[in-house]
């Protein structure tokens, strides 16, 4: 089975190191007890032992539930102890992403083979907008309405710093009017 585990791309190693310095990272995996030593060694060989990068690893064989079951995600949400809106689940299986969203946990699909570091705040906003039903014709997320709502919720301390930071990262780069609003808000603090 170890032939499936081929290592971690160097840029992903750096990305995980960078993200773990800014955010609490958790691994949610359908890994089994047989493959776990191989995948753990793969992280060790890349210089990022699981225990150093992730606050906790949630393995389906230990939880007695598999992704994409609702029970799996709800158990993770409960154990982490944050509101689902303060978390983001990223997975390379659309089925797992759909299951996460159905369980109330915002999620983003990562297409294998693409640049994971390109997954920025825009996708986070998409996930939150869809969860909150902020859609316009054609099923697209109303980004302006979602952005205004997130800014209001941050001001009222209803959302956490993680969600707000990811939101800022994308919109400061994409919207000059929103950039001005956010910078004014930051300067007031």
């Amino acid at each position: 089975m170890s032939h499936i585990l081929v290592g971690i791309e160097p840029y992903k190693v750096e990305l995980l190191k960078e993200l773990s310095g800014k955010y609490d990272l958790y691994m949610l995996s359908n890994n089994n007890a047989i493959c776990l030593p191989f995948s753990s060694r793969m992280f060790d060989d890349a210089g990022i032992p699981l225990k150093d990068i992730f606050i906790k690893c949630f393995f389906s064989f230990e939880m007695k539930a598999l992704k994409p079951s609702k029970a799996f995600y709800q158990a993770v949400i409960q154990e982490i102890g944050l509101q689902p809106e303060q978390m983001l689940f990223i997975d390379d299986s659309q089925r797992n992403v759909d299951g996460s969203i159905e369980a109330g946990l915002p999620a983003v699909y990562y297409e294998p083979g693409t640049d994971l570091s390109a997954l920025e705040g825009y996708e986070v906003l998409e996930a939150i907008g869809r969860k909150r039903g902020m859609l316009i014709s054609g099923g697209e997320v109303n980004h302006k309405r979602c952005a205004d709502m997130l800014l209001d919720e941050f001001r009222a301390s209803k959302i956490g710093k993680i969600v707000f930071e990811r939101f800022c990262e994308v919109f400061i780069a994409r919207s000059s009017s929103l950039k001005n609003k956010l910078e004014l808000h930051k300067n007031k603090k």
Side-chain angles (χ1 to χ4, degrees), residues 24-78:
D24 289 343
L25 300 183
Y26 297 85
M27 177 186 279
L28 283 60
S29 175
N30 279 344
N31 208 333
N32 61 51
I34 296 169
C35 287
L36 183 57
F38 296 107
S39 59
S40 292
R41 192 167 336 134
M42 182 178 66
F43 278 86
D44 290 344
D45 291 347
I48 52 170
L50 292 174
K51 65 180 176 37
D52 293 346
I53 293 295
F54 300 103
I55 301 295
K56 179 170 178 149
C57 296
F58 294 92
F59 296 112
S60 56
F61 75 93
E62 294 173 339
M63 297 178 66
K64 310 292 188 247
L66 288 169
K67 295 183 296 183
S69 74
K70 192 173 187 176
F72 183 92
Y73 300 109
Q74 288 177 335
V76 167
I77 292 167
Q78 183 175 359

Side-chain angles (χ1 to χ4, degrees), residues 174-189:
R174 296 179 189 225
S175 170
S176 60
S177 66
L178 213 45
K179 178 180 178 179
N180 294 338
K181 278 186 189 179
L182 292 172
E183 287 180 0
L184 282 172
H185 176 71
K186 284 182 180 179
N187 291 335
K188 287 181 183 177
K189 287 194 156 197

